[in-house]
Structure formats: C-alpha cells, structure tokens
C-alpha cells in the first residue's frame, strides 16, 4: 500500500516555473516506478514524466522534453517534477502515481496508486 500526497501547484505566468512534490508513505516506495500525469478538463489523462525505482530510467512526453525534469529521493520517499517554461496549455490537475512494476510506463492504467492531484494554472 502506498499513499501519495502532491504539493507545489499554483498559479504561474507563462514562461514561469513550478516544482511539484509528491510525498509517499509505505515501505514499498523505493521499489515502485513513479509517474506524473496531468488532466485538463475534457481531455484524457496523459503522462508528463515517469521514473524507475532507482532513478536511472526516465520517460517523458515529447511535449515536455527539455523543459520538465522528474527526479526522486528514495531516502525521503519523495518524487519531484521541475517544470520550466510553462505554457497556458499546460494548465491542468497534476497527479502523482505509483506503479507496482519497475518500468516507467507511459500508460496511466499501469499505475496502481494515485494522489489527489494538485492544480497548476498557467496564465497568459
């Protein structure tokens, strides 16, 4: 069992940056692949970035490559998403998720545990 709590969302101007954090509880965190997903109204949930349990493998949506960075600190049971050069189109609820496998999969269906989400709003 893994419980996830996201933080760090908010309002930012276009071109700005935000850093999301996801604190996990449960002893299995270090063995889970972790992902950040986002969902805007009337759109499907989509991968932003995912990371393997030890942090050596990452997987990003093409639209965020070079601007977003996912990282994790297993000693702190926390995964991060650094977001730079944000655009208004990236306004969404951002979710942290944990998979029971080790592969940083892009499919949201492969993730078992989910946080409640944090709102990110990018103004133009």
């Amino acid at each position: 069992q893994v419980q996830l709590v996201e933080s760090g969302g908010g309002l930012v101007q276009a071109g700005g940056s935000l850093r999301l954090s996801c604190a996990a509880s449960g002893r299995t965190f270090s063995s889970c692949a972790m992902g950040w997903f986002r969902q805007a109204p009337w759109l499907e949930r989509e991968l932003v970035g995912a990371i393997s349990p030890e942090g050596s493998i990452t997987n990003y949506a093409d639209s965020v490559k070079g601007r977003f960075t996912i990282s994790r600190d297993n000693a702190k049971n926390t995964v991060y998403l650094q977001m730079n050069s944000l655009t208004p189109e990236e306004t969404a609820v951002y979710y942290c998720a944990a998979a029971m496998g080790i592969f940083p999969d892009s499919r949201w269906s492969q993730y078992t545990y989910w946080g409640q989400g944090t709102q990110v709003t990018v103004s133009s």
Side-chain angles (χ1 to χ4, degrees), residues 17-99:
S17 299
L18 281 175
R19 188 193 196 202
L20 305 183
S21 298
C22 174
S25 61
R27 291 180 288 179
T28 60
F29 173 79
S30 62
S31 64
C32 295
M34 298 295 296
W36 283 99
F37 291 78
R38 64 189 178 192
Q39 187 166 20
W42 306 293
L43 297 178
E44 290 188 3
R45 190 169 297 191
E46 63 174 359
L47 172 77
V48 178
I51 189 167
S52 60
E54 75 283 2
S56 61
I57 302 172
T58 57
N59 183 14
Y60 293 99
D62 287 343
S63 61
V64 307
K65 286 179 181 177
R67 298 186 298 119
F68 289 16
T69 302
I70 187 170
S71 61
R72 65 191 296 163
D73 185 337
N74 286 345
K76 295 182 178 179
N77 276 15
T78 303
V79 62
Y80 306 97
L81 183 69
Q82 177 67 43
M83 304 186 293
N84 299 328
S85 302
L86 284 158
T87 68
E89 292 72 31
E90 292 176 310
T91 294
V93 178
Y94 284 68
Y95 297 91
C96 174

